[in-house]
Amino acid sequence: MHSANILFMHSHNTGQFVQPFGHAVPTPNLQRLAEEGVLFRRAFAAAPTCSPSRAAFLTGTYPHACGMLGLAHRNFSMPDYSLHLANILKPHGYLTLQAGVEHTAPDTETVGYDRILSTDDTNYPDKPDHPQAAQAVVDFLDSEQSQPFFLSLGLNETHIPYPDANPQDHPCEDERYCLPPRPLPDTPQIRAQTAAFKASARVMDQGYGAVLDALARNGLSDNTLVICFSDHGLQFARNMCNLTDHGIGVYLVIRGPGGFAGGQVSDALVSLIDLVPTACDAVGTEIPVHVLGKALQPLVSDSASHRRVEALRDEIFAEVNYHAAYEPQRAVRTRRWKYIRRYGNRDLPVLPNCDDSPSKEVWLEHGWRDRKVDGEQLSDLVFDPNEAHNLVAREEMGQVLDEMRQRLQRWMTETDDPLL
């Protein structure tokens, strides 16, 4: 049997708002994957915005380190695509393929994949004229396999606009009985947005299920490392484009060779920059020098080559540069504490960086545009998981604040952060 296949399956703007994390958002195929693999409860994106996060999880380093500071459709790109996993694995005999959302370059053709299976990033079944990205992957998996592959499938779900909720066939999509995600108020408008999100998650999960079924049908399940995750938080106010856990927390499920089996749950801090070294470890190739992530195999495996550990790191980092507008921010998170630093002199919300949605409208109606934003924020994640109470001014927090500032400064210096 040839070397392990690597399959990245990722969705758009889903955060952790899925069934395996306990939410009333049925995703039975993702749940099945979690029960067969490993669920990482404390997984975080390196950026709460699309292209920077995607560049980070496809290069194994931070957005500012790989040069992806903004959105590809606004003409941001990486200076060097040799850092991309497709180009890391290609010299090792891997066929590299992409389907659906890539968004790490203005033109996906320039990234360096051997084949692009589908340029379509629409997977909603009410558009039958569009080829579905998941179906393109299924068609590939049903074809003859002559060499190991790396395949990146990006589903546009759960990106706005959502499909219509269908409470007749799916009672959980009845907006009367939906609970909005944290940290938003329970209003009719946000309940309706939540119901529509659930419809989008249903379509996303159907895409995942079709691919997982194709792996099984073709005898590829045991030899394929499936890494399934979201790029960043939900497309709701105070979620994506924020460095609170609502913006950077993501679901992450891995199944396949290397100990990723058995319905394990890990509470270790992990970052999406860890996915590239995890793939390299599974392939048996050297991890490139630019990669700053850590292979996750030691968290799950007790084999001779991987002594099982409880944690690989005691901190993760994340950043914002550009979304619709420039809003430079950096964050460091430990198990207990979160520190966020804003740069520049703006002390009000940068409203274009919150995508339009009913939740944004509710906040604007109640005066959000005039609410001050702190330049520094320190949160105790044990007593304040919503990061609502800033402890920066608390005298007894001085030692913690100094330590978190030093952690952030050290990381920015070591990674040659242009903000410095």
Side-chain angles (χ1 to χ4, degrees):
M1 184 175 282
H2 61 56
S3 301
N5 304 307
I6 307 295
L7 173 60
F8 279 18
M9 299 198 300
H10 40 94
S11 61
H12 219 342
N13 310 349
T14 320
Q16 298 177 333
F17 210 52
V18 290
Q19 182 179 350
F21 278 80
H23 296 290
V25 183
T27 51
N29 295 297
L30 189 54
Q31 179 69 25
R32 167 171 55 119
L33 191 68
E35 292 171 3
E36 295 170 349
V38 181
L39 176 67
F40 293 88
R41 300 282 309 204
R42 287 186 173 88
F44 299 93
T49 58
C50 179
S51 296
S53 174
R54 292 168 183 275
F57 69 64
L58 285 163
T59 63
T61 191
Y62 298 101
H64 70 261
C66 67
M68 195 68 177
L69 301 180
L71 299 175
H73 67 273
R74 296 177 183 270
N75 283 322
F76 283 90
S77 61
M78 292 193 291
D80 182 4
Y81 284 90
S82 71
L83 308 183
H84 193 290
L85 184 57
N87 297 311
I88 294 170
L89 294 181
K90 197 182 298 187
H92 299 278
Y94 274 72
L95 179 66
T96 62
L97 310 113
Q98 187 272 335
V101 181
E102 166 73 17
H103 218 226
T104 64
D107 178 4
T108 303
E109 294 281 353
T110 66
V111 172
Y113 289 99
D114 291 316
R115 286 166 56 189
I116 294 175
L117 300 177
S118 169
T119 57
D120 184 42
D121 58 12
T122 303
N123 203 34
Y124 294 127
D126 61 342
K127 296 184 177 178
D129 296 332
H130 289 64
Q132 297 183 0
Q135 183 59 49
V137 172
V138 169
D139 293 343
F140 166 75
L141 295 174
D142 284 338
S143 65
E144 188 67 32
Q145 306 300 324
S146 58
Q147 67 186 108
F149 61 81
F150 162 63
L151 201 163
S152 176
L153 166 62
L155 296 185
N156 201 45
E157 296 76 38
T158 43
H159 193 289
I160 289 173
Y162 302 136
D164 293 334
N166 181 1
Q168 289 75 31
D169 295 334
H170 305 278
C172 75
E173 295 170 21
D174 191 327
E175 64 188 69
R176 296 175 297 174
Y177 310 119
C178 286
L179 180 66
R182 297 186 305 174
L184 293 162
D186 186 357
T187 72
Q189 303 99 307
I190 304 178
R191 287 197 296 271
Q193 184 180 352
T194 305
F197 168 87
K198 291 182 180 184
S200 184
R202 167 167 49 81
V203 179
M204 169 197 82
D205 191 68
Q206 290 168 350
Y208 287 162
V211 174
L212 294 173
D213 289 346
L215 286 173
R217 181 168 63 246
N218 291 287
L220 297 169
S221 295
D222 290 345
N223 199 42
T224 300
L225 187 68
V226 178
I227 303 180
C228 190
F229 55 98
S230 176
D231 59 353
H232 52 66
L234 296 162
Q235 205 169 8
F236 285 64
R238 185 73 194 286
N239 280 258
M240 67 171 284
C241 216
N242 287 269
L243 290 172
T244 58
D245 281 5
H246 318 97
I248 62 173
V250 294
Y251 71 86
L252 172 61
V253 180
I254 306 181
R255 185 194 74 182
F260 297 100
Q264 301 172 65
V265 171
S266 173
D267 285 297
L269 287 175
V270 302
S271 170
L272 293 187
I273 68 167
D274 298 332
L275 304 186
V276 166
T278 300
C280 289
D281 189 288
V283 167
T285 184
E286 195 172 321
I287 296 172
V289 293
H290 75 269
V291 171
L292 299 179
K294 299 171 184 288
L296 298 178
Q297 279 84 349
L299 291 174
V300 300
S301 177
D302 55 6
S303 68
S305 59
H306 291 112
R307 183 176 60 83
R308 183 165 182 164
V309 299
E310 292 303 311
L312 294 171
R313 57 159 61 84
D314 60 3
E315 59 192 7
I316 61 101
F317 300 94
E319 66 185 84
V320 173
N321 297 289
Y322 293 88
H323 187 59
Y326 186 49
E327 189 180 6
Q329 303 171 65
R330 299 290 184 266
V332 55
R333 187 202 197 277
T334 65
R335 293 184 69 86
R336 176 79 185 262
W337 307 101
K338 166 76 72 63
Y339 173 69
I340 301 173
R341 166 85 188 273
R342 300 175 68 87
Y343 295 81
N345 55 9
R346 294 189 67 102
D347 61 357
L348 292 172
V350 182
L351 295 176
N353 284 344
C354 178
D355 293 347
D356 291 342
S357 73
S359 56
K360 180 178 182 178
E361 290 302 314
V362 168
W363 271 24
L364 288 173
E365 289 165 8
H366 290 82
W368 182 31
R369 68 179 66 247
D370 299 317
R371 289 177 66 88
K372 295 282 188 180
V373 177
D374 293 326
E376 285 185 293
Q377 182 176 333
L378 178 68
S379 301
D380 183 337
L381 300 172
V382 171
F383 289 100
D384 180 24
N386 276 335
E387 301 172 60
H389 304 287
N390 190 357
L391 303 176
V392 163
R394 296 271 287 270
E395 188 176 340
E396 69 272 23
M397 289 291 111
Q399 186 175 342
V400 173
L401 180 59
D402 285 345
E403 180 199 335
M404 297 300 280
R405 284 171 172 163
Q406 289 169 19
R407 285 178 184 264
L408 189 66
Q409 181 70 27
R410 182 176 65 248
W411 169 70
M412 293 175 71
T413 302
E414 290 174 351
T415 59
D416 199 19
D417 192 323
L419 279 185
L420 297 178

